[in-house]
Amino acid sequence: MFSCNHVFILLFLYRYLRLVVNLLAFCLHQPIQPPDDPQLTSNDVTVVIPSLQGDGDELLETIRSILATEPSQIILVTIEAQEARAQLLAKELSSARLKVYSVAQPNKRRQMVRAIPEIRTKITIFADDDVTWPSTLLPWMLAPLEDERYGGVGTNQRLRRAEDPSWQQRVWGYLGALYLERRNFDCASCMFVDGGIPCLSGRTVAYRTSILLDKEFTEQFTNEEWLGQYQLNADDDNFITRWLISHGQKISYQHHKQAEVFTTLEDNPKFLKQCLRWSRSNWRSNITSLFCDRHIWKNQPWSTYAVYLTTVSHWALLWDCLLVYFYLDMAQSWQKENQSVGLAVLASWMFLSKFLKLLGHYIQHPVDFLLLPVSILFGYFHGLIKGYAMISLNVTAWGSREGADDDDAYRMTRLSSKHQEAFESRSAVCYTQ
C-alpha cells in the first residue's frame, strides 16, 4: 500500500519533473545554424497561403513580408466566391511570383492540396494569412533541410501586439502572448531532449515537396478518419506532423530571433473560442498519437511524457489541490512550525512554476508581470475549457472568424456504417501486431 508520503512524492515528481528538465533543455537548446555555402536557397521555396477572404490589409502585409524573403513562388489559394478579390489583390502587388487559385468550399486541407500540383520547388512552406515574416526567415528554415533526414521545420512564434490597446485588449493579448510563449518553450525543450514536437504549427511550416506529392500522403490527408466514425478535414498541421513521425522523417524547430514569425490572435472574448478549438484539436491529435499511431512512445519518449500525456493528465486546479491535500496529510505528525515552513516552500514552488517557463515574455514585457494573477486564474479556468473540449470532439467550429464556419459541417462528416466496420477491422489487426 502507498502511504500519503509516497503519493505526494509521486504526484510532485510527475508534475514537476518535466518542468525542471525542460528548463534545463530550453537553456541548452541551439537551433541548426544556416551553412556558409547552402545547397538550398530561397529559389528552392514555394510558399502556399490558404486564405478565406482572399484580400484585406492583413493578408496584404503577410504577402509583402513573404515577398521580401524572395521565394521562387507564392501561391494564394482562396475560395471561388473570393477569387475575384484575390486577383485584384495580386494585381495591386504586381508580382510575377504571386499566383492565385481557388476551391469551391472553405476547407484548408483542400486548399493546400489544390496548390501542391503547382509546386515545382524542392521545399514547400505553408503560411497562414495573418503572419508577418522577418527578412531573415528562409535561411533558418532551410538549414535543417540541408540534411535529407529532415522532412519538416517549424518556427518560433510571437504575438503581434495591438497598437494603443484598451485594457481589455491588453489582458486578452497578454493571455494570447503567453499561449505562444508556452508553446515556444515546450517545442524548444522537447526538440533538445528527444527531437520531438507536439505539432509543426501551420502558421508557418516547411516541408519537402516530395513528401507532399506522395500519392499515399494525398489520399490519407484528404480522407483522414477520426475514431472510425467521422472523416476529419480539420487539424491539417497535426496530421502532417504525425505523418512525418510515422514515416521516419526527422523534424526540426528553429527557436531563434531571426526565425521568429509574428501572428495575430483574438484580443477579445473570442480568444476563449480559439482556446476551445485548439483544445479540441489537441485532444483529437494526441489521442491518435498516443493510442492509435503509437510511434511516439518509442521515438519520442520524453515528449510523450512532457507534452502528449498532459492532454490527458494535466488539470492545473486538480493537481494543485491534490498536492496540498496529500502534503497536509503527510505532515500531520510534524511539528506545527515545520508544517508551516513546508507548506510555505510548497506554495512558493507552485507559484514559481506558474511563470518560470514564461520568463522570456516577462523579460521582453516586464509590465505584464502585473497581470500574472490573471494568468494563474486563467490556467485554472482553462481546465473547464479543456473539459468541455473533451466532451465535444466532434465539433470543429472556429467561432472566432467571420465566414469561417459557413461550411463547418464539411470539416467533420459522419462515415457510413460500412466505413465504420472497415475501420474497426483495421484497428483490430493493428492492435494484435
Side-chain angles (χ1 to χ4, degrees), residues 224-345:
E224 182 183 1
E225 296 176 1
W226 163 245
L227 295 182
Q229 300 182 43
Y230 302 93
Q231 178 176 323
L232 181 62
N233 290 306
D235 310 342
D236 52 279
D237 46 6
N238 284 304
F239 175 90
I240 304 179
T241 303
R242 294 196 308 272
W243 178 272
L244 294 177
I245 294 170
S246 65
H247 287 72
Q249 295 283 332
K250 295 184 69 174
I251 55 180
S252 181
Y253 174 77
Q254 293 290 74
H255 189 272
H256 193 275
K257 190 72 175 177
Q258 294 187 9
E260 192 168 84
V261 171
F262 283 84
T263 187
T264 60
L265 298 176
E266 294 291 344
D267 56 5
N268 53 61
K270 288 183 179 180
F271 176 71
L272 298 177
K273 294 183 178 180
Q274 284 187 316
C275 290
L276 181 59
R277 177 169 60 88
W278 295 331
S279 187
R280 286 177 178 139
S281 180
N282 285 338
W283 273 109
R284 286 191 294 260
S285 183
N286 290 352
I287 287 174
T288 301
S289 294
L290 288 166
F291 306 116
C292 298
D293 292 350
R294 296 176 291 166
H295 300 283
I296 57 172
W297 294 95
K298 178 181 179 181
N299 298 333
Q300 301 173 2
W302 177 258
S303 298
T304 300
Y305 156 67
V307 178
Y308 290 95
L309 282 174
T310 59
T311 300
V312 180
S313 64
H314 183 65
W315 306 83
L317 182 59
L318 175 61
W319 276 98
D320 285 358
C321 290
L322 286 174
L323 284 170
V324 171
Y325 171 81
F326 282 107
Y327 167 79
L328 292 175
D329 199 56
M330 176 182 70
Q332 280 184 354
S333 61
W334 299 3
Q335 294 183 1
K336 285 191 175 181
E337 181 179 347
N338 292 338
Q339 288 181 10
S340 299
V341 171
L343 185 59
V345 171

Side-chain angles (χ1 to χ4, degrees), residues 135-198:
S135 60
T136 54
L137 180 66
L138 287 187
W140 286 90
M141 291 197 75
L142 294 175
L145 296 169
E146 295 280 334
D147 185 337
E148 292 290 338
R149 296 174 299 171
Y150 284 88
V153 180
T155 59
N156 201 34
Q157 299 172 6
R158 298 281 182 194
L159 181 70
R160 188 164 65 232
R161 296 164 73 95
E163 296 181 8
D164 192 25
S166 65
W167 70 268
Q168 288 185 339
Q169 286 179 309
R170 183 178 294 278
V171 171
W172 291 113
Y174 163 73
L175 294 175
L178 292 192
Y179 164 79
L180 294 176
E181 186 69 33
R182 191 176 294 109
R183 184 187 180 281
N184 292 338
F185 176 87
D186 288 339
C187 289
S189 301
C190 290
M191 182 58 54
F192 176 81
V193 176
D194 64 6
I197 189 172

Side-chain angles (χ1 to χ4, degrees), residues 57-110:
D57 292 339
E58 199 167 61
L59 176 58
L60 189 64
E61 181 180 348
T62 294
I63 295 177
R64 281 176 172 161
S65 73
I66 294 174
L67 281 171
T69 66
E70 300 184 340
S72 175
Q73 184 177 213
I74 299 175
I75 298 177
L76 175 63
V77 187
T78 186
I79 57 175
E80 291 177 354
Q82 305 293 349
E83 184 175 5
R85 297 169 63 179
Q87 293 288 3
L88 286 175
L89 179 140
K91 185 176 180 180
E92 178 182 347
L93 289 166
S94 64
S95 173
R97 300 179 186 219
L98 178 60
K99 307 295 181 184
V100 176
Y101 299 94
S102 66
V103 296
Q105 295 171 307
N107 182 272
K108 191 175 180 181
R109 291 202 193 200
R110 300 291 175 175

